[in-house]
Structure formats: structure tokens, C-alpha cells
Amino acid sequence: MSALPFLMQIEGNTFNLHEKAGRLITMIEREITPHLTGLFEQYPFVTVTGPRQSGKTTLCRAAFPDLGYANLEAPDVRQFAESDPRRFLARFSRGAIIDEIQHVPSLLSYLQVIADEIGRNSLFVLTGSEQFGLSDAISQSLAGRTALLRLLPFSLDERRRTGAQDTVDDIIYSGFYPRIHDRGLEPRQALRDYFETYVERDVRRMGGIRNLSGFRLFARLCAGRVGQLLNLSALGSDAGVSHTTARVWMTTLERSYVTFRLRPFHANIRKRLIRSPKLYFYDVGLACYLIGIERVEQIATHPLRGPLFENLVVAEVLKHRFNQGRRSNLSFFRDAQGLECDLLYESGQAIGAIEIKAGSTVASDYFRSLDRVGELIPGVSSKAVVYGGLTYQSRGRGEVVPLSRLPEFLQHLGPSISAGQGGS
């Protein structure tokens, strides 16, 4: 596998045969951008993964406008890359963005040889909409040669800059997918199309799921359990499938960046701690659609408003970590007696304890469980309640943080990461 074809100057280097359909998303500068560009200078490759329509292509093409581009989602481009990988890569003598690399994982071995023979950084930006399988392939072929970043849909600040409605209920209802806010789409229709396309395309391609209607029901049941301990046996029973099938389907949802698990906190303390993870969706709007909410007015009195608000906050903190080029350091605390803290944010030796409340009024007992958790876990150095109200308050027992001030609060909760620390 010689790199010589790659080094040839070939006319038509940009290879823009397959632009994304429609106009590019109005460019809201993404918070992850400086880490992406900084890491590209330090590695031969940068790999950006995340959900479909989270803005990966727009981000990469805006950050690297001089690179060539190929989208492996297009059948003819994919066939070319599969049948003649050397000639395919030879078109990109100055590097390129290769979209949806999971479609042709065999390209990774050819890319490894190119990087080793050329011996310089800033060659290729790879994107993908899968976890696990793609990560395994990259670990085998590009270990030590690529930085890994995850791009989720808009953060609160990014969403706000689009001019979207900014009330708590509007945020829960419409979620964070860039396309919805860029094009002013009706969220229910857009999220229905998103999910149906995902089921028909990604789920079928991943294989192993023959009962698509059962899988749709399973996803809806998951949405109804956001913020709860994950019980695959109960989920499977309610969906009418075995525990084994429920486990496979949950892996599929996680693999395609629909759901994620929040791990329980473990420490050497004299307490029996819950060991099951909690279940969340990467986008609260998608969860809202799946549980059947059709109008924003329904949210104010919906019995799941509290869990949906909790999902919103947990996903926002996770985005903050990923946009800093960091991995998740998040967990929750619950012991066998029911003492609970919704979110623990570890930063070095310090831990921030966060309670999440959807109400707009600060109750006097909001800090009770935080105080008890702080006594049990020596590393807890800060405590906060994130709530659905409007006023920021600094109290002796901790901070009271409205959702609108959460991004600002997170900036002060943990140190920022330098661009050079995001490698694989």
C-alpha cells in the first residue's frame, strides 16, 4: 500500500461531487472549534463522531475550507472507496474531510499507511455517526495517530445564538438539533422524520433487528424512563421481548448516539451504593417527541416534565465536557436508603455536586440531600441546585443556578482543557 498515489497532484483534488443536500446550516461558531483546529495541527487525523444532524459536516468544512471533501453516504462514492481505495485517496493530495467513515472502515488501514509514510500532521478529518464499532476500528488502525472528538447537537449558548425561543418548555419541546433552528422547522415533524429515517436507515444497516415496530416501541419506552435507573429486564418485558433482545436494542440506541447511560458513583465509603446506571437521551427534544408530546403547551403540566428537565441539564453538562475536548467525568449518587444526588462533576481532586429541579421556585429543602452527600464524599468542594427559575443566588450552602446561567456556571466549575489534551 504505497503512499505514492496519494502524493500525486491530481486535477479535481477537492472531489466535491456530492455536496450535502440543501444549504449548509447557518454557521453558529461551535464551542468545540478551537479544540478541533488545535488538534488537527498535532495529529495526522482528527475523528469527529456524534449523532446524525449534530452539525459535524458543517463544523469541519467551516474549520477547514481548503480541504477536499468526500461523503461516503453517497452510494457511488462509497463504491469507489471500497473498490479502489488507493485511487480514491489519491484524489486528496492536500488532505480531506471524509464524511461517515463507518461506511468503509477498510479505508482506515490505507489511511494509516499514508500517515506513516508521509510522516506529518494535518492530513485528514474523519467523521462518523456511530460509537463502539467505529471506535474499535479506529483504535486498531489509527491508534496514536488520531485525536477523538464528540460533537453533540447545539449547546444552550449555541442554540440561543440562533434566536430560538428560550423558555424552559420551548427548549424541552424543540431540543437542540441544528437543522430545526436553522430552518425554523416544526419540531414534531422534524423529529418524527429524523427518527423514522434513523430507524429505516441506520438500524437496518447495523443489522440484528428484524422487528422494527417492536424497536420503535422500545425506543418510546426508553423515552418514558429518562432519568430512571436502567432495568433492561423490565424494559424488555414492557416491549414484549427478551432481556437479551432488550440489551441488543439498547446497544443499538447507544451506538447511534440516541441514548446514553450515566454511571453510578463508586467510592470506598461505608454505604451500599446503587450500581445500576441511569438512562438519558442525547437530545431532550427527541425524547419529548417519542413520549407523544405534540404541543409545547403540554409540557407545563406533563408528569414527565421533571425528568425531561433533568435530561436537559445532564446532556448540557455532557456537551460542555465534549466541547472542551474531554471525556465524560459525570456520575450520580444513590445509596440503598434512597439518598441521592442527581449529578457529580469530577474535576481533578474536586467534585461538584449538582441537584436538578424543574420548578421555578427555590424550596428550602433543595440543599438537604446535597449537604448529606457532601458529608459522605470528602471530595465534594462545591454544591449547586440547577432549577427552572430565573434568578441566580449564591447561598451559604451552595449556588442556585437558573438554566439560562448553566453554561456560565459550568465554565467556573472545572478548568478548561488545552487543545493538546484531546488525543485518542
Side-chain angles (χ1 to χ4, degrees):
M1 249 188 293
S2 172
L4 288 177
F6 177 83
L7 293 170
M8 294 169 59
Q9 297 293 320
I10 294 181
E11 188 177 358
N13 179 56
T14 55
F15 195 44
N16 289 326
L17 298 180
H18 292 273
E19 291 280 358
K20 293 281 187 178
R23 66 187 179 88
L24 291 176
I25 295 168
T26 300
M27 193 55 201
I28 301 295
E29 183 172 347
R30 304 301 297 267
E31 294 165 8
I32 203 171
T33 300
H35 303 286
L36 172 63
T37 54
L39 289 166
F40 192 57
E41 296 176 356
Q42 300 172 46
Y43 288 83
F45 308 98
V46 175
T47 303
V48 182
T49 64
R52 288 191 179 276
Q53 297 185 20
S54 60
K56 298 184 297 294
T57 302
T58 304
L59 166 72
C60 294
R61 299 194 74 176
F64 307 107
D66 296 329
L67 288 182
Y69 175 75
N71 181 8
L72 297 179
E73 191 95 322
D76 54 340
V77 179
R78 183 164 62 247
Q79 192 275 333
F80 183 14
E82 289 172 335
S83 62
D84 197 347
R86 291 188 182 91
R87 184 164 169 261
F88 172 81
L89 292 173
R91 292 178 176 265
F92 305 115
S93 59
R94 301 187 189 98
I97 300 161
I98 301 181
D99 242 341
E100 304 296 352
I101 190 68
Q102 75 274 359
H103 287 301
V104 191
S106 59
L107 271 183
L108 295 171
S109 296
Y110 292 87
L111 288 167
Q112 173 194 335
V113 173
I114 288 170
D116 291 349
E117 293 194 7
I118 293 177
R120 67 172 177 87
N121 296 329
S122 308
L123 295 176
F124 284 89
V125 178
L126 312 176
T127 81
S129 302
E130 276 188 32
Q131 296 195 79
F132 309 149
L134 178 57
S135 296
D136 290 344
I138 288 172
S139 296
Q140 292 175 17
S141 299
L142 302 183
R145 301 171 180 85
T146 186
L148 297 172
L149 293 173
R150 291 179 175 85
L151 181 71
L152 299 183
F154 281 154
S155 68
L156 276 168
D157 273 351
E158 290 167 343
R159 182 187 185 278
R160 189 175 294 128
R161 293 202 297 274
T162 69
Q165 292 291 320
D166 207 29
T167 68
V168 169
D169 289 354
D170 279 306
I171 294 170
I172 291 173
Y173 178 71
S174 60
F176 294 85
Y177 283 107
R179 190 168 179 268
I180 290 175
H181 304 292
D182 173 64
R183 302 192 178 188
L185 302 179
E186 201 290 311
R188 294 310 87 191
Q189 179 68 45
L191 290 166
R192 183 184 72 181
D193 294 343
Y194 180 92
F195 184 72
E196 291 301 316
T197 302
Y198 152 71
V199 169
E200 293 299 328
R201 180 173 55 187
D202 288 356
V203 171
R204 285 182 183 276
R205 180 178 54 79
M206 289 177 190
I209 297 179
R210 298 180 179 88
N211 182 2
L212 290 178
S213 62
F215 180 79
R216 291 187 181 95
L217 172 61
F218 181 81
R220 293 188 175 96
L221 291 170
C222 288
R225 288 164 170 78
V226 293
Q228 295 184 21
L229 296 178
L230 179 59
N231 185 328
L232 286 174
S233 295
L235 264 173
S237 177
D238 289 349
V241 298
S242 68
H243 178 275
T244 299
T245 298
R247 185 172 64 249
V248 171
W249 287 1
M250 180 59 66
T251 299
T252 300
L253 289 171
E254 293 173 322
R255 180 179 170 185
S256 48
Y257 282 102
V258 173
T259 64
F260 66 95
R261 307 183 199 196
L262 182 68
R263 65 181 175 87
F265 179 80
H266 292 305
N268 187 22
I269 58 179
R270 294 182 179 180
K271 279 281 186 180
R272 287 180 55 208
L273 302 181
I274 297 296
R275 296 187 176 275
S276 298
K278 291 171 74 172
L279 177 64
Y280 294 98
F281 275 60
Y282 282 106
D283 186 73
V284 67
L286 184 58
C288 187
Y289 157 73
L290 288 171
I291 62 176
I293 294 176
E294 296 181 344
R295 294 177 291 106
V296 67
E297 292 79 13
Q298 294 176 254
I299 294 175
T301 57
H302 198 282
L304 291 181
R305 185 179 187 273
L308 289 168
F309 182 80
E310 180 180 324
N311 194 138
L312 163 60
V313 173
V314 172
E316 179 67 17
V317 180
L318 186 62
K319 290 173 197 174
H320 173 75
R321 292 291 300 180
F322 288 169
N323 288 342
Q324 293 280 318
R326 291 177 177 264
R327 294 179 174 84
S328 174
N329 64 344
L330 309 179
S331 62
F332 73 96
F333 179 96
R334 183 183 291 183
D335 66 17
Q337 287 71 47
L339 177 62
E340 183 173 8
C341 177
D342 293 324
L343 196 59
L344 295 174
Y345 183 111
E346 299 179 45
S347 178
Q349 300 301 312
I351 299 174
I354 300 173
E355 191 73 3
I356 303 169
K357 301 292 184 181
S360 57
T361 304
V362 181
S364 59
D365 64 349
Y366 275 6
F367 283 94
R368 187 176 301 162
S369 62
L370 285 175
D371 290 340
R372 293 173 62 192
V373 169
E375 293 170 358
L376 286 171
I377 304 174
V380 172
S381 60
S382 61
K383 292 174 285 187
V385 174
V386 178
Y387 78 124
L390 300 175
T391 306
Y392 191 104
Q393 302 175 30
S394 185
R395 300 188 176 190
R397 299 165 73 182
E399 307 297 306
V400 178
V401 184
L403 181 66
S404 61
R405 299 282 296 275
L406 179 58
E408 175 187 340
F409 172 75
L410 292 173
Q411 289 294 334
H412 294 90
L413 192 59
S416 178
I417 186 172
S418 66
Q421 294 177 304
S424 61

